[in-house]
Amino acid sequence: EAQVTQNPRYLITVTGKKLTVTCSQNMNHEYMSWYRQDPGLGLRQIYYSMNVEVTDKGDVPEGYKVSRKEKRNFPLILESPSPNQTSLYFCASSLRRTGFNNTEAFFGQGTRLTVV
Amino acid sequence: KNQVEQSPQSLIILEGKNCTLQCNYTVSPFSNLRWYKQDTGRGPVSLTIMTFSENTKSNGRYTATLDADTKQSSLHITASQLSDSASYICVVRGGGGFKTIFGAGTRLFVKA
């Protein structure tokens, strides 16, 4: 089954404790991205990757890091989480960059992160 | 500024009724517009996508329209079902650098 898998689904952590949210897709997609979703603001892009070893900042990259060592994996790293990073996070992938050639974006199930 | 605005913010309808959700955008240049359905606690799922030359696209009971001149889109849901209860997100691709801009969504509640 074609899917984007995020782990963990839920995470509560303390300020400053480094954490990683994993994202894996099994569709051989080139393009992957991370979003955060906050009430009333809609989805905002954090980072994206056009292909292996190619990553770039989205609209709200501060406080986050990513890596793309393999095509299927795109982990999101919070080196020193803060309470304002409490949010619902989604990983997404598409064959190419969403919109180019109108390829569909597949989203993961989400990770609800709480930083206390 | 490239923006996507959706209305209403939330909507309650009775099962079996029709409804229409609105999306206005100021994104330029325009590439495409997509409607997503997001069930509570789950990731968004694409319903329809339209480019500049398309003014209507259907997916079962969902019909999206696009007026690229007025920069407006609507999503019409026919004969609503309880399972239609979800958030519906309008997403526009375009602007300088071909950004993906998300609306805040319309929360639809379908009651029995």
Side-chain angles (χ1 to χ4, degrees), chain A residues 13-59:
Chain A
T13 190
V14 296
T15 299
K17 185 176 181 182
K18 180 180 178 179
L19 66 91
T20 298
V21 184
T22 64
C23 173
S24 180
Q25 50 92 4
N26 62 0
M27 296 167 279
N28 201 35
H29 284 170
E30 295 174 351
Y31 183 78
M32 297 184 74
S33 57
W34 275 102
Y35 297 89
R36 61 178 290 172
Q37 186 175 35
D38 301 291
L41 293 179
L43 285 142
R44 294 179 292 167
Q45 192 176 55
I46 303 170
Y47 267 94
Y48 63 92
S49 169
M50 302 279 274
N51 214 325
V52 176
E53 301 292 0
V54 182
T55 63
D56 213 341
K57 296 178 181 178
D59 296 316

Side-chain angles (χ1 to χ4, degrees), chain A residues 9 35 37 40 42-43 59 90 97-99 102-105 107-109, chain B residues 32 34 36 38 41-44 46 49 51 93 97-99 102-104:
Chain A
R9 293 289 314 277
Y35 297 89
Q37 186 175 35
L43 285 142
D59 296 316
F90 287 101
R97 187 170 182 174
T98 307
N102 299 329
T103 55
E104 179 174 349
F107 283 81
Q109 295 288 58
Chain B
N32 63 60
R34 196 191 298 267
Y36 283 91
Q38 184 179 19
R42 303 179 76 87
S46 180
I49 180 170
T51 60
R93 181 149 183 83
F98 283 97
K99 287 186 172 293
F102 289 77

Side-chain angles (χ1 to χ4, degrees), chain A residues 56-67:
Chain A
D56 213 341
K57 296 178 181 178
D59 296 316
V60 289
E62 294 78 20
Y64 304 95
K65 284 174 57 177
V66 293
S67 70

